[in-house]
Amino acid sequence: MATAIATTAALGSTASAVGQASAAPTLPAGGPGYSCGFYNGTEWTGAGQTGPAAVARIKEVQCLINLGAYTPSTGNSQLYVDGNYDQSTYRAVEWYQRCSHIGSSGQVDAATWYQLRNNPNC
């Protein structure tokens, strides 16, 4: 079962898993791109990373993927925005990278960050 999270009118409606804490996605005032408010850089992000900075980056990845085409209507379950780079997050990143035609490593590099922030629907 899913509940809706607050989004700006420009983003439309997205769903998140029940019990999941999630930031309201926004469009930054300084220019194009989406943000969930957890992290705004482009540092490499992937499985096995720990600590508060890694958790913030992973939550941003999970939230941004949930904004786009990674939905039940495309056969995918929304990700829990929990900061854990688990198998579901890895598979979602791979899917998103293939959808965006940027190579599917399953890890978030600068090209993946750019696409997530500027083209969430791939």
Side-chain angles (χ1 to χ4, degrees):
M1 179 185 279
T3 58
I5 61 174
T7 62
T8 63
L11 296 176
S13 177
T14 61
S16 63
V18 171
Q20 168 181 327
S22 181
T26 61
L27 288 169
Y34 294 93
S35 174
C36 295
F38 296 108
Y39 174 73
N40 65 1
T42 60
E43 187 173 332
W44 183 90
T45 303
Q49 295 182 323
T50 59
V55 167
R57 290 192 311 272
I58 295 165
K59 283 182 175 182
E60 186 75 11
V61 168
Q62 292 166 328
C63 179
L64 289 170
I65 286 175
N66 284 345
L67 288 180
Y70 199 79
T71 64
S73 66
T74 60
N76 300 298
S77 298
Q78 295 278 275
L79 295 172
Y80 284 99
V81 179
D82 60 5
N84 180 19
Y85 208 103
D86 57 13
Q87 193 64 25
S88 296
T89 301
Y90 179 87
R91 283 192 306 267
V93 169
E94 275 190 318
W95 178 90
Y96 180 81
Q97 289 169 326
R98 283 191 307 273
C99 180
S100 297
H101 307 287
I102 56 174
S104 59
S105 67
Q107 312 301 319
V108 182
D109 57 9
T112 306
W113 279 117
Y114 178 85
Q115 287 296 325
L116 283 168
R117 291 207 173 99
N118 293 284
N119 188 20
N121 290 311
C122 65

